[in-house]
Amino acid sequence: MSEAAAIQAITMPKWGLAMEEGKVSAWMAEEGAAIDSGEEILEIETTKITNVFESPVAGTLRRRVVAEGETVPVGALLGVAAAADTPEDAIEAFIADFQANFVVEASDAAEAPEPEMITVARRQLRHLRMGPEQGPAVILVHGFGGDIESWLFNQPVLAESHRVYALELPGHGGAEKSVEGLDVATLAMLLADYMDAAETGPAHLVGLSLGGGIVLKLALDQPERVTALSLLAPAGFGPELNMDFIEGFIAAERRKEIKGLLGQLFADPELVSRDMVDKVQKFKRLDGVKPSLRGLADSVFPGGHQALVMKDQLASLAMPVQVIWGDADAILPPAQSEGMPDNVRLRILEQIGHMPHMEAAGEVNRLIADFGD
């Protein structure tokens, strides 16, 4: 193998279809350090969030090409990995050749799939479909106060090999704001109606928080619709929750309030970006949002507790089931994951909060991608 062939490029990733550039917030590996594939080596800031970047290669980090604080386009050279004994002139020649031939790709935002409205049981919901026409189906269901963008680090990655559908629940995102008569059980029925309307067929259901409780309820009631179940920091495992967060989210209007609340979702509050705060503030200003959130909270969290607890029914499920939970979750107690039956695969992520699919996107995507296929 030639020296050049043994040198590996580490480039700026593309997180979400709209990402065009990223800023290197911090390097987590020094030049000369041995790195493994999947090891966290960088923190990268986008307009959406700051996230860790896992090395796609293994070797010795020979160069950190982009300095901390510098912003570069997607695909730009961030660093170089090679064997420790690779000559310096070969490293320099590799970098020079990469930089001389690097071309910023034209934005594919105009070609990216757009969210669409869909009529489901006489309700107007919004969803986003990505991926090939054929292949296994994955359906993503967000939590309380979430929307399609909750999955920006996950849906494009999973769509490389799956048909992936992200659904917005009533009262959220671009879906209708009426939530009258809705609780976890009726939302599970609505999800089944959505699967019929979107013609998804049986699918791997992935639910976050409240969405986790919804997909679990559907799996219990209509198991023939579910090929696998991935529950991320799920509701439905115990009565307790951080109701102060729910009440605060419903009431918050000012940027400072919203930023503080969003910070509770992450182990590292610094991950909350300006764009994230702006998006939530814009959503909260839509007509009907506040009463919708109030009504839904009163239904699914009456008296400040989860209305439906289904943990003791997990053992009855025949499809593959996994639970993924951050040990620093401040919204739903990670202790609710204790005592899982043998048919459930449990993964506790260290130093991760209530949004594991964002804080540990790479690991969560890997856990979901081939599960149950």
Side-chain angles (χ1 to χ4, degrees):
M1 180 182 295
S2 68
E3 291 176 345
I7 302 173
Q8 302 177 90
I10 301 170
T11 60
M12 177 63 72
K14 186 174 181 65
W15 290 332
L17 293 173
M19 180 176 170
E20 297 182 1
E21 63 182 19
K23 182 172 76 172
V24 173
S25 298
W27 277 95
M28 304 165 69
E30 298 293 334
E31 288 187 353
I35 56 175
D36 293 323
S37 178
E39 179 179 344
E40 297 177 355
I41 60 171
L42 277 167
E43 286 187 357
I44 295 174
E45 179 182 345
T46 74
T47 58
K48 302 294 184 183
I49 194 174
T50 299
N51 210 337
V52 296
F53 173 60
E54 300 172 344
S55 176
V57 302
T60 298
L61 182 61
R62 296 295 301 273
R63 287 289 187 281
R64 303 196 313 193
V65 177
V66 176
E68 293 180 353
E70 187 176 351
T71 298
V72 295
V74 168
L77 187 65
L78 298 174
V80 173
D85 59 355
T86 302
E88 290 291 326
D89 57 353
I91 300 291
E92 295 298 335
F94 179 89
I95 295 172
D97 181 69
F98 186 103
Q99 305 290 43
N101 292 286
F102 175 66
V103 177
V104 178
E105 293 186 7
S107 173
D108 57 3
E111 302 176 5
E114 293 289 336
E116 297 178 337
M117 301 302 296
I118 183 171
T119 301
V120 179
R122 298 185 297 281
R123 290 180 178 273
Q124 294 301 304
L125 305 183
R126 194 172 74 149
H127 72 147
L128 177 62
R129 184 197 185 285
M130 292 184 187
E133 290 300 318
Q134 304 298 321
V138 175
I139 300 176
L140 309 172
V141 183
H142 62 75
F144 186 87
D147 59 17
I148 284 171
E149 288 199 26
S150 299
W151 307 103
L152 76 138
F153 294 142
N154 319 107
Q155 190 173 12
V157 176
L158 296 173
E160 292 175 4
S161 55
H162 297 74
R163 291 179 291 125
V164 187
Y165 304 79
L167 173 67
E168 286 178 337
L169 302 172
H172 296 76
E176 68 171 52
K177 297 303 177 279
S178 173
V179 298
E180 184 177 357
L182 294 178
D183 57 15
V184 172
T186 51
L187 285 167
M189 292 173 59
L190 187 64
L191 175 57
D193 291 335
Y194 165 74
M195 295 175 71
D196 290 338
E199 299 180 344
T200 67
H204 179 171
L205 302 185
V206 180
L208 167 71
S209 194
L210 174 60
I214 293 167
V215 302
L216 173 56
K217 179 59 175 170
L218 181 57
L220 291 168
D221 291 348
Q222 301 184 49
E224 70 279 2
R225 291 183 178 273
V226 186
T227 60
L229 200 60
S230 291
L231 307 173
L232 315 183
F237 276 47
E240 300 85 7
L241 78 157
N242 183 347
M243 199 62 192
D244 288 341
F245 170 83
I246 300 296
E247 294 291 351
F249 186 85
I250 294 170
E253 296 179 356
R254 299 179 182 276
R255 287 185 54 84
K256 185 176 181 180
E257 295 173 320
I258 293 171
K259 184 175 182 180
L261 285 161
L262 294 180
Q264 295 182 46
L265 295 172
F266 301 94
D268 180 4
E270 295 302 315
L271 296 181
V272 177
S273 68
R274 177 181 296 272
D275 182 82
M276 191 183 299
V277 176
D278 289 344
K279 182 177 72 67
V280 171
Q281 188 175 44
K282 183 178 179 180
F283 165 65
K284 293 296 297 297
R285 288 173 174 171
L286 294 175
D287 290 341
V289 166
K290 190 169 183 178
S292 293
L293 293 176
R294 175 77 274 158
L296 189 60
D298 289 345
S299 176
V300 299
F301 308 131
H305 295 86
Q306 297 187 56
L308 188 59
V309 177
M310 301 165 281
K311 182 179 176 181
D312 60 354
Q313 300 178 59
L314 286 167
S316 69
L317 295 173
M319 78 285 294
V321 181
Q322 65 177 339
V323 173
I324 303 169
W325 218 311
D327 69 352
D329 192 331
I331 310 303
L332 291 175
Q336 290 180 353
S337 67
E338 295 174 0
M340 288 292 99
D342 293 341
N343 63 312
V344 176
R345 182 172 80 176
L346 175 63
R347 183 61 183 270
I348 301 295
L349 305 180
E350 296 182 0
Q351 299 181 9
I352 297 296
H354 190 62
M355 307 290 274
H357 63 303
M358 298 185 80
E359 277 193 282
E363 184 167 3
V364 170
N365 288 341
R366 287 192 295 272
L367 289 170
I368 292 173
D370 300 321
F371 189 67
D373 284 358

